[in-house]
């Protein structure tokens, strides 16, 4: 099986969905913890130029979350609900507060590849092709790629 070392980001041609895939040198348990522990999540999410502040975080089925990303003194809020949290999968909503009508349904899967490696697959379903394409044009790949590079460092430094 080929190792995916950079994030593959693909738009589905028939649905308003973005799919992302990346492999990590970590166990599924470590990757799950990095997505559910608020202190760890704040260390890696988003592009390098931002600082993340967790406002509220209940990583459990039925829980909710809110965080603020700060870039050059400007704050950007994000919030959502955890619909399902289990060791192999997280299902949640995601809303950028600058676009409160743009709610995405996100699913993350943690696939054990063996030998301490895990494939993260993520899917974001939005309400229209226009919204999906706006996400893709927003430069989201920079935040995703830089965030996952930070996640690799968090995983390798023994914090997880």
């Amino acid at each position: 099986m080929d190792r995916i070392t950079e994030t593959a980001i693909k738009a589905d041609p028939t649905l308003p969905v973005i799919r992302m895939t990346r492999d990590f040198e970590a166990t599924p348990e470590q990757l799950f913890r990095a997505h559910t522990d608020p202190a760890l999540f704040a260390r890696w999410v988003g592009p390098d130029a931002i600082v993340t502040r967790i406002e509220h975080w209940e990583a459990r089925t039925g829980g909710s979350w809110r965080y603020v990303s700060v870039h050059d003194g400007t704050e950007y809020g994000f919030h959502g609900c955890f619909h399902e949290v289990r060791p192999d999968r997280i299902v949640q909503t995601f809303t950028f507060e600058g676009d409160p009508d743009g709610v995405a349904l996100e699913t993350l899967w943690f696939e054990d590849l063996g030998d301490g490696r895990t494939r993260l697959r993520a899917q974001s379903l939005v309400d229209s092709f226009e919204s999906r394409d706006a996400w893709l044009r927003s430069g989201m790949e920079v935040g995703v790629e830089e965030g996952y590079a930070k996640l690799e460092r968090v995983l390798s430094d023994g914090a997880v």
Side-chain angles (χ1 to χ4, degrees):
M1 179 180 297
D2 291 335
R3 182 166 186 263
I4 302 168
T5 57
E6 291 190 13
T7 308
I9 301 174
K10 297 185 179 177
D12 188 295
T14 60
L15 298 169
V17 169
I18 298 169
R19 292 190 176 95
M20 298 181 287
T21 307
R22 183 164 177 150
D23 293 351
F24 291 89
E25 294 292 330
T27 65
E29 294 81 13
Q30 289 173 303
L31 211 52
F32 175 80
R33 185 166 171 237
H35 281 80
T36 56
D37 180 301
L40 292 172
F41 183 81
R43 286 181 56 189
W44 67 263
V45 71
D48 293 338
I50 65 138
V51 174
T52 298
R53 180 178 72 242
I54 303 294
E55 298 282 323
H56 172 76
W57 196 268
E58 291 179 276
R60 62 173 177 79
T61 298
S64 60
W65 58 270
R66 181 174 190 271
Y67 67 85
V68 175
S69 295
V70 182
H71 180 261
D72 289 337
T74 303
E75 296 189 350
Y76 302 92
F78 302 87
H79 70 268
C81 296
F82 289 106
H83 291 263
E84 181 179 53
V85 177
R86 62 183 209 205
D88 65 331
R89 183 171 99 158
I90 297 172
V91 180
Q92 65 185 15
T93 55
F94 177 92
T95 302
F96 167 51
E97 293 173 359
D99 180 19
D101 294 333
V103 179
L105 178 63
E106 297 188 332
T107 306
L108 294 87
W109 293 270
F110 307 102
E111 179 185 346
D112 190 348
L113 299 176
D115 297 324
R117 295 180 311 120
T118 301
R119 176 162 294 158
L120 172 63
R121 292 185 301 118
Q123 171 177 289
S124 296
L125 171 66
V126 296
D127 66 347
S128 69
F129 287 98
E130 293 80 17
S131 292
R132 182 204 62 195
D133 294 345
W135 278 39
L136 292 169
R137 284 190 311 270
S138 74
M140 67 167 272
E141 71 280 354
V142 173
V144 169
E145 199 61 48
E146 289 181 2
Y148 284 165
K150 288 189 290 185
L151 175 54
E152 285 184 340
R153 290 191 297 274
V154 167
L155 291 164
S156 68
D157 76 7
V160 184

